[in-house]
Amino acid sequence: VCAPLQRVYDEIKRWESVPNRKEPFTLHMLAWLKKQPEAADPDSILAALIDWLEMGLFAGFRKSEWHQDQGRHNPTNPQPDFQGNTQAFTPEDLEFRHVSGRPLRHEEVIRLPPAELRSAILRWRTQKNRRNKAERQYEQNKNPNGRSFVTPAQRVMQRYHRLMGHVRTDSPIPLALYRHTDGHVRLITCKETEHWMQRAAAAVYNFHPERDADKISKWTSHSLRIGAC
């Protein structure tokens, strides 16, 4: 076996030997979620989750970078980082470029068709590995039916504008928002993420909700980062 393939095999073997390991979120699970009727409302929890999960498969988000701990739903009280600032991504962390190459104001982004977006740039203000203020640029997929970071990122900005009434870059309110069925705007938490991940895993991999509960429980908020690796 050639050296590059051997490294892949070794990594798979290492991952499979990890005790109590979590399972990865997969493209098959994402496809199942997109077919659910609850996703029809663009401001619903499922529609919001689908956008963040698709972006996360490209970016490998840590859970604290985009959503909140269980019970932390209030948009004005998000989890702070070590500096006391909002830990999850906020509007200032996401930029877009037009197909011409020029930077776009958020007010422009929410009104443009996806085909006019060349790329999105995501900024990590703080990271666990201490690579703070790191940036990563994602190019738009020219296939409108293909997977993309840019198009769901645009939908995130559009949803933020609908729910908050603005897309100011100085807003401390996280981007990962949705409208609850009671009409209130809430932050996405790990509870909603794990609920829908586990539903998708059970459906896609034919697990019984009760007999296979232990297997299903291996899908958690960390599964998104594993799926992106």
Side-chain angles (χ1 to χ4, degrees), residues 3-22:
L5 280 178
Q6 186 61 55
R7 286 196 292 271
V8 173
Y9 295 148
D10 290 344
E11 178 60 20
I12 292 173
K13 184 177 180 180
R14 183 200 65 79
W15 178 75
E16 290 180 340
S17 66
V18 173
N20 300 317
R21 72 175 189 272
K22 304 305 180 185

Side-chain angles (χ1 to χ4, degrees), residues 157-177:
M157 296 301 298
Q158 291 168 332
R159 182 179 302 111
Y160 194 93
H161 181 264
R162 289 193 299 269
L163 298 181
M164 300 307 302
H166 65 81
V167 281
R168 295 197 309 268
T169 55
D170 62 348
S171 174
I173 296 175
L175 283 167
L177 297 167

Side-chain angles (χ1 to χ4, degrees), residues 24-218:
F25 180 75
T26 65
L27 291 172
H28 295 295
M29 294 167 65
L30 180 65
W32 183 88
L33 290 172
K34 288 183 176 182
K35 295 177 182 177
Q36 304 314 300
E38 294 91 338
D41 177 357
D43 294 332
S44 67
I45 177 59
L46 183 54
L49 272 174
I50 286 169
D51 289 337
W52 282 99
L53 293 172
E54 184 164 356
M55 292 163 63
L57 286 174
F58 284 89
F61 297 143
R62 293 182 174 91
K63 64 179 184 178
S64 62
E65 293 171 344
W66 67 283
H67 69 186
Q68 309 293 311
D69 291 336
Q70 183 174 338
R72 208 173 189 110
H73 286 290
N74 188 344
T76 63
N77 186 34
Q79 179 70 34
D81 63 15
F82 68 93
Q83 296 175 322
N85 301 315
T86 302
Q87 186 166 14
F89 297 120
T90 64
E92 72 168 317
D93 301 318
L94 189 57
E95 300 177 14
F96 293 82
R97 296 289 184 269
H98 187 261
V99 289
S100 65
R102 69 177 177 87
L104 291 166
R105 293 179 292 108
H106 288 162
E107 291 78 6
E108 296 178 279
V109 172
I110 62 176
R111 294 178 174 86
L112 286 173
E116 291 192 31
L117 302 176
R118 172 187 283 185
S119 62
I121 301 170
L122 186 64
R123 181 182 302 108
W124 280 259
R125 281 172 284 112
T126 59
Q127 291 196 83
K128 186 177 180 180
N129 59 15
R130 299 186 181 181
R131 295 177 184 173
N132 300 331
K133 299 183 179 180
E135 293 184 351
R136 192 178 300 170
Q137 182 164 319
Y138 301 90
E139 299 299 314
Q140 176 65 297
N141 189 340
K142 294 181 180 179
N143 177 0
N145 299 316
R147 291 183 294 277
S148 169
F149 179 94
V150 178
T151 299
Q154 181 191 31
R155 290 195 295 264
V156 164
M157 296 301 298
Q158 291 168 332
R159 182 179 302 111
Y160 194 93
H161 181 264
R162 289 193 299 269
L163 298 181
M164 300 307 302
H166 65 81
V167 281
R168 295 197 309 268
T169 55
D170 62 348
S171 174
I173 296 175
L175 283 167
L177 297 167
Y178 72 100
R179 189 182 299 281
H180 191 265
T181 53
D182 64 9
H184 290 92
V185 176
R186 293 188 175 188
L187 297 173
I188 299 175
T189 73
C190 57
K191 182 178 180 180
E192 291 88 30
T193 303
E194 292 178 4
H195 168 78
W196 280 103
M197 272 194 185
Q198 291 174 7
R199 281 191 60 180
V204 171
Y205 302 114
N206 298 314
F207 291 133
H208 189 278
E210 296 178 0
R211 292 195 301 271
D212 298 318
D214 287 346
K215 295 178 181 178
I216 296 172
S217 69
K218 292 183 180 295

